[in-house]
Amino acid sequence: MSKCRFKNKKSPNIPFYNWICQEGTNAFGGVAIIIHNSLKTKTIVQAPNFILIELTVLSETILIGAIYVPPGSSVPFNLLETHVSKNFYIFGDYNAKHSQWRCNTNNSSGNELKSWLDEKGYQLIAPIKPTSKRSDAVIDFGITNDATRWRSETIIEGTSDHYPVYFEAPFSVSEKGYFKKTNWNIYHFFLQNICEYLNVVVYNLDAEDFFYLFALLLSSLSDRVSEFLPVTKYRSPWPPYLVTLAKKQNKLRKKYRKTRVLKDLEEYIHWKKVYAYDRCLYQQKQTENRLAWIAQGNNIWKLVHPIFHPYSPALSGLTTNEGIIKNPQTIVDTLADHHEKHFETPTHDSGTLAHVEAIEAYTNISYLPNIPLEQISIEDVHSALKRTQNKKSTDCDGISALHLKQMPEEFIKIITIGFNKMAETGSYLKRSKHAKVICISKEGMYPTLNKLRPISLISNIGKLFEKIIHKRILKWCKEKGIYVDEQSGFTPERRLQTRILTLVEDLRLTVAACNRPALVIFVDFLSAFDRIWHLMLIRNLIKLDCPLPIIRWIFSWLQERSMSIHYGNTVSRCGCFHVGSFIPKVNNNISNMCIAQG
């Protein structure tokens, strides 16, 4: 805490926490650090407007500091360089402005601090949004020798002239692990009590505003009914009775080794055989249950899933021609430049008839107004929600699919009303057109740009609406015979693994029957779905006689799609893409048509 106007004897009493306070050089100065009494700390330096403490984190120590630099004063670099041989993190109000940390103007303190950071190679832990209410400037931040995986966020609350800043460290100060536990019973109970109120609100607001507020409600409610608890015990891989037998066997073995009495030996051997027999029975039962589970449906593919999805190491940086990049902001800016170029507007050939037809068809569709879609029933929403997996990854609104799955049944009617408002206008949620992109490494901690797997997280409410439209497209494909027998991807009840097994069997029969070699050609189109041209996609849908309301909805759905790269707490600029689409299931099916027809 910086700009604290109280002394040690006047500091507020907070149970289980201790204060370390230091007065400042003016009436607005002073700093303080609040420490839980379970942590092992030691004060290293105390000076006006500056505190530096040593905190023990597991088996090593780090330095945590608080600082306040009055306006017009120079940054005390002599204090910042105290004990820099250790990992240090110094937070506070620096009153230093520079464009490097998103300030509109630079001042002398900012220029000095920027030069010092470049000279020493230190890094900033700075939020994206302004921290000062008096100006659009970020002047509250942290300085460290390593900002990897740190997160910071400006909290738009409070009555001070500065906004509070939340910092999240990548390490734990306790040997115990912590996990987030959400009380879904309270979550469900609260939603049930406000169901009638939301049923009125959904009629009085348009779909865009309602679902935006609804997502905020679910996210806030989930945080409010959650708590972080320490891990006190771990689940044993064996059932309790086997654990008891193992303990008894070990106890008798120790007893015999100590006494060397024949009776103790016989007792130990007896219980050892009992334990071995019961363990074999348990393992046999487990194996039989597993084999029975594998024989059911498509569970065999769940068993071999890890084979097709190898382990991906955590992304710690990027390898470029200039070397390894570790700065989070540079990483997201580099990735944004790469993806923006990858999804740039393609050039067409006016001499190619198919290109001319695609431009004409796209232009004609753009002149049409939005066409109402067929009304959505409660059964449609219920079926789409039932098919949704219980994933915990959050979208840009802060909610996950699990939040939707835990809602009371009465909320399906409310969602249906909102979806029908969109269906009546043939529109789509604008917020669902933005993708939160997380990049996963395919090769090592410092991969190159072409060795990344972008994972796109879009609005879960929007995805629910997409599933309903997707089901209608599948029904149309089946009725019109759009599918070909050889297609396995993005097709219900067909898998790529099945196609591979079929191919291997065809090869075996060919070679065995004719006793001659067979030639197989494998073709992999680079970024096939990423490079789908929207104009050609619309043209092919028209040629396939797709219903006009769906074509117009797909046209609107493809417009103004954007993305931002997220790496920890660092977010890139918002970029647009004009070909392909990030992840949405609807586009994968119609993209297959484009490839087949194009």
Side-chain angles (χ1 to χ4, degrees):
M1 298 175 64
S2 61
K3 299 180 70 173
C4 300
R5 306 177 189 179
F6 48 78
K7 301 179 181 179
N8 280 325
K9 61 181 181 180
K10 296 182 181 179
S11 57
N13 182 24
I14 302 178
F16 310 112
Y17 284 87
N18 300 320
W19 288 82
I20 301 178
C21 305
Q22 176 61 47
E23 295 182 28
T25 55
N26 59 26
F28 300 96
V31 292
I33 298 178
I34 312 174
I35 305 169
H36 195 271
N37 54 21
S38 64
L39 301 179
K40 184 179 179 181
T41 59
K42 180 175 65 174
T43 303
I44 303 297
V45 178
Q46 273 192 277
N49 293 322
F50 185 80
I51 297 176
L52 187 67
I53 66 170
E54 185 181 78
L55 174 66
T56 301
V57 179
L58 298 182
S59 59
E60 59 178 316
T61 58
I62 62 173
L63 300 177
I64 302 290
I67 189 173
Y68 170 64
V69 181
S73 302
S74 299
V75 180
F77 297 111
N78 60 320
L79 294 176
L80 295 181
E81 294 178 1
T82 305
H83 303 284
V84 293
S85 58
K86 297 182 179 179
N87 291 331
F88 67 92
Y89 310 93
I90 302 175
F91 307 92
D93 179 5
Y94 287 83
N95 275 308
K97 301 179 182 180
H98 198 278
S99 58
Q100 179 74 21
W101 44 91
R102 300 179 183 84
C103 296
N104 296 329
T105 60
N106 300 351
N107 59 10
S108 57
S109 296
N111 292 329
E112 293 175 2
L113 184 59
K114 173 64 168 56
S115 302
W116 181 75
L117 291 172
D118 292 341
E119 178 186 352
K120 299 295 183 180
Y122 299 145
Q123 301 174 10
L124 250 66
I125 309 174
I128 299 174
K129 297 180 180 180
T131 62
S132 175
K133 294 183 180 180
R134 298 180 179 179
S135 63
D136 293 334
V138 178
I139 56 178
D140 302 273
F141 47 80
I143 293 177
T144 177
N145 60 326
D146 185 11
T148 305
R149 293 190 294 276
W150 272 83
R151 296 179 58 190
S152 59
E153 179 183 355
T154 303
I155 302 175
I156 312 299
E157 297 288 347
T159 58
S160 172
D161 59 340
H162 288 242
Y163 292 115
V165 181
Y166 167 76
F167 295 96
E168 182 178 314
F171 51 80
S172 174
V173 295
S174 173
E175 295 183 2
K176 295 182 179 180
Y178 286 83
F179 65 96
K180 182 180 181 181
K181 183 180 179 180
T182 303
N183 193 324
W184 294 113
N185 291 330
I186 299 179
Y187 178 89
H188 190 276
F189 174 76
F190 183 86
L191 291 179
Q192 269 190 329
N193 281 274
I194 63 171
C195 181
E196 293 184 6
Y197 170 75
L198 291 178
N199 197 27
V200 175
V201 173
V202 71
Y203 283 105
N204 297 327
L205 294 177
D206 63 2
E208 188 75 34
D209 293 337
F210 172 76
F211 282 120
Y212 170 67
L213 296 175
F214 183 65
L216 288 180
L217 169 67
L218 295 185
S219 177
S220 303
L221 177 60
S222 173
D223 291 339
R224 190 65 183 87
V225 300
S226 300
E227 57 181 337
F228 286 88
L229 301 175
V231 178
T232 56
K233 60 182 180 179
Y234 296 89
R235 184 181 301 170
S236 172
W238 300 105
Y241 76 93
L242 276 182
V243 175
T244 304
L245 286 176
K247 289 180 178 179
K248 186 169 186 177
Q249 173 199 257
N250 292 335
K251 184 178 180 180
L252 292 173
R253 181 177 58 189
K254 291 178 181 179
K255 181 179 178 182
Y256 167 69
R257 287 179 176 177
K258 186 176 181 179
T259 62
R260 295 294 178 178
V261 177
L262 181 60
K263 181 180 177 182
D264 294 337
L265 175 62
E266 292 175 349
E267 188 178 10
Y268 162 65
I269 294 175
H270 168 72
W271 285 105
K272 181 181 179 181
K273 291 180 179 179
V274 171
Y275 169 68
Y277 178 75
D278 286 358
R279 185 181 63 181
C280 288
L281 286 180
Y282 174 76
Q283 291 176 331
Q284 180 182 355
K285 185 178 179 180
Q286 290 289 97
T287 304
E288 291 175 352
N289 291 339
R290 189 173 182 84
L291 291 174
W293 175 80
I294 292 174
Q296 295 175 1
N298 294 319
N299 288 339
I300 179 64
W301 302 116
K302 296 180 181 179
L303 179 69
V304 300
H305 179 84
I307 300 175
F308 298 99
H309 293 79
Y311 168 74
S312 298
L315 178 65
S316 300
L318 291 176
T319 301
T320 61
N321 296 331
E322 290 76 22
I324 295 178
I325 301 174
K326 293 185 179 181
N327 182 272
Q329 190 60 49
T330 308
I331 290 174
V332 296
D333 290 341
T334 304
L335 291 173
D337 293 338
H338 171 73
H339 285 97
E340 203 165 38
K341 183 178 180 181
H342 185 69
F343 293 101
E344 65 184 356
T345 305
T347 56
H348 64 276
D349 184 5
S350 58
T352 303
L353 179 60
H355 287 195
V356 175
E357 291 178 353
I359 295 172
E360 182 181 355
Y362 193 83
T363 304
N364 292 337
I365 291 295
S366 66
Y367 291 151
L368 295 176
N370 287 343
I371 303 174
L373 298 172
E374 182 183 344
Q375 286 290 291
I376 296 171
S377 65
I378 295 179
E379 289 74 19
D380 292 335
V381 179
H382 185 272
S383 175
L385 190 60
K386 188 177 180 180
R387 298 197 310 269
T388 302
Q389 299 181 9
N390 291 329
K391 292 186 176 181
K392 297 182 180 180
S393 53
T394 57
D395 55 21
C396 294
D397 296 325
I399 66 171
S400 65
L402 187 59
H403 288 97
L404 300 178
K405 298 277 284 187
Q406 293 291 338
M407 293 187 308
E409 289 286 335
E410 295 85 351
F411 274 69
I412 294 180
K413 178 183 176 182
I414 297 174
I415 294 176
T416 304
I417 295 170
F419 281 177
N420 278 323
K421 284 191 172 185
M422 291 192 291
E424 289 172 0
T425 58
S427 60
Y428 187 65
L429 295 175
K430 293 181 181 179
R431 291 182 60 83
S432 298
K433 293 187 177 185
H434 180 77
K436 171 185 174 183
V437 180
I438 310 294
C439 291
I440 298 177
S441 172
K442 293 181 181 178
E443 189 177 278
M445 297 174 63
Y446 305 103
T448 56
L449 289 172
N450 60 344
K451 293 295 183 179
L452 290 171
R453 180 183 292 110
I455 304 298
S456 192
L457 304 175
I458 61 175
S459 169
N460 282 286
I461 295 176
K463 286 169 67 175
L464 196 63
F465 187 79
E466 282 183 19
K467 286 179 181 291
I468 298 172
I469 304 300
H470 173 244
K471 188 175 181 181
R472 295 180 180 181
I473 293 177
L474 289 180
K475 181 181 178 182
W476 167 73
C477 291
K478 189 173 182 180
E479 291 175 352
K480 298 295 181 181
I482 303 296
Y483 289 130
V484 293
D485 293 337
E486 290 77 13
Q487 178 178 335
S488 295
F490 311 110
T491 309
E493 301 179 0
R494 300 186 190 182
R495 288 179 175 269
L496 176 60
Q497 294 89 334
T498 307
R499 182 56 49 198
I500 294 173
L501 294 176
T502 304
L503 177 62
V504 172
E505 181 65 16
D506 290 343
L507 280 173
R508 187 187 68 81
L509 294 175
T510 302
V511 175
C514 305
N515 195 21
R516 62 183 180 183
L519 177 64
V520 181
I521 301 176
F522 296 92
V523 181
D524 182 11
F525 294 98
L526 180 64
S527 302
F529 293 108
D530 293 352
R531 302 300 300 169
I532 289 296
W533 191 23
H534 293 170
L535 280 68
M536 186 64 70
L537 186 62
I538 297 298
R539 171 249 190 190
N540 287 346
L541 288 173
I542 295 175
K543 291 188 67 175
L544 290 169
D545 199 23
C546 181
L548 189 59
I550 292 182
I551 296 178
R552 175 59 200 181
W553 182 87
I554 292 174
F555 172 86
S556 175
W557 177 76
L558 291 171
Q559 304 304 306
E560 301 176 354
R561 300 198 72 90
S562 62
M563 63 175 178
S564 57
I565 310 295
H566 290 242
Y567 177 64
N569 193 43
T570 308
V571 184
S572 72
R573 68 181 185 277
C574 187
C576 299
F577 46 91
H578 307 280
V579 292
S581 187
F582 264 86
I583 291 301
K585 206 172 193 178
V586 174
N587 195 60
N588 292 331
N589 285 90
I590 56 182
S591 296
N592 279 323
M593 305 171 199
C594 187
I595 294 174
Q597 295 290 322

